[in-house]
Amino acid sequence: MPTQTRATPAARSALDRFNAAPPGEAVRTLLRCLHSPRWARRVAAHRPYPDLPALLAAADEAAYDLTGEDLAEALAAETLPGLPEDTYAVAGTALRAAHAAYAAKFGHVFVICLDGVPRSETLDHALTAFRSRLANDPEEERAVAADELRRLASQRLRHSLGARGTARQATPHPNLTNKTSPPPP
């Protein structure tokens, strides 16, 4: 007989609720993970999913099919990654300046998945990524941003279904958020 862990019933229950949710509710849940209506409808339409890995694989596959318009819409709904509360003000200034340069060059907010990055290394990781990615040409950066969005969507989906693990959701810093935010659920 298989052994159940405490995490198994909670994760299964959340997935069961997602699978049984009305289509509109499932789409709204997915839009909080990646703001692309076409992506959300596609993932919701293939329910029920037998387990979380199957759902994550379907979400990832659907994200690979984002059109340029879908990607632009998803990027417009993103916010900058948050900084730890004890970050110096000068670091926030550096991050805002890096974002301004990035947005001027690429026309959208900088997105980065901080899955597995210790909170104490968030700022260094983000600034290093800014410097590296500012050297990209627009087409190359579009591919990098799409990959980061796929990673963020997976992380957010795990989080929204209560899956436990090392992933942590990047929370926006109140002084660094993009002016555009996703519509309420």
Side-chain angles (χ1 to χ4, degrees):
M1 174 180 266
T3 305
Q4 287 189 336
T5 65
R6 286 186 160 216
T8 303
R12 172 60 79 182
S13 175
L15 180 61
D16 288 343
R17 284 192 305 271
F18 173 76
N19 281 332
E25 184 180 324
V27 167
R28 283 189 298 278
T29 296
L30 291 163
L31 285 172
R32 287 189 296 270
C33 300
L34 179 68
H35 191 75
S36 167
R38 191 169 76 86
W39 172 84
R41 286 190 303 270
R42 179 175 171 191
V43 175
H46 287 89
R47 295 175 303 148
Y49 293 98
D51 54 29
L52 185 60
L55 170 58
L56 294 173
D60 195 53
E61 181 182 331
Y64 275 102
D65 292 336
L66 291 176
T67 65
E69 188 176 300
D70 295 331
L71 181 58
E73 185 174 25
L75 286 168
E78 289 295 322
T79 59
L80 286 172
L83 294 174
E85 289 181 22
D86 61 348
T87 302
Y88 295 108
V90 71
T93 301
L95 193 58
R96 281 189 298 278
H99 180 260
Y102 180 93
K105 181 171 181 178
F106 299 112
H108 58 80
V109 71
F110 177 82
V111 290
I112 187 169
C113 181
L114 299 171
D115 190 10
V117 176
R119 195 162 283 286
S120 63
E121 296 174 21
T122 300
L123 178 63
D124 288 339
H125 187 80
L127 288 173
T128 299
F130 267 118
R131 280 191 295 274
S132 170
R133 290 170 58 185
L134 276 168
N136 292 343
D137 64 52
E139 196 56 35
E140 185 178 25
E141 182 54 27
R142 181 182 179 279
V144 173
D147 187 52
E148 291 295 324
L149 280 174
R150 278 190 291 280
R151 292 179 60 214
L152 281 167
S154 178
Q155 174 187 0
R156 291 168 179 163
L157 195 48
R158 284 190 311 268
H159 180 75
S160 74
L161 294 180
R164 301 287 181 234
T166 60
R168 66 177 169 82
Q169 187 166 7
T171 55
H173 187 280
N175 298 325
L176 300 175
T177 57
N178 183 8
K179 300 277 189 251
T180 309
S181 19

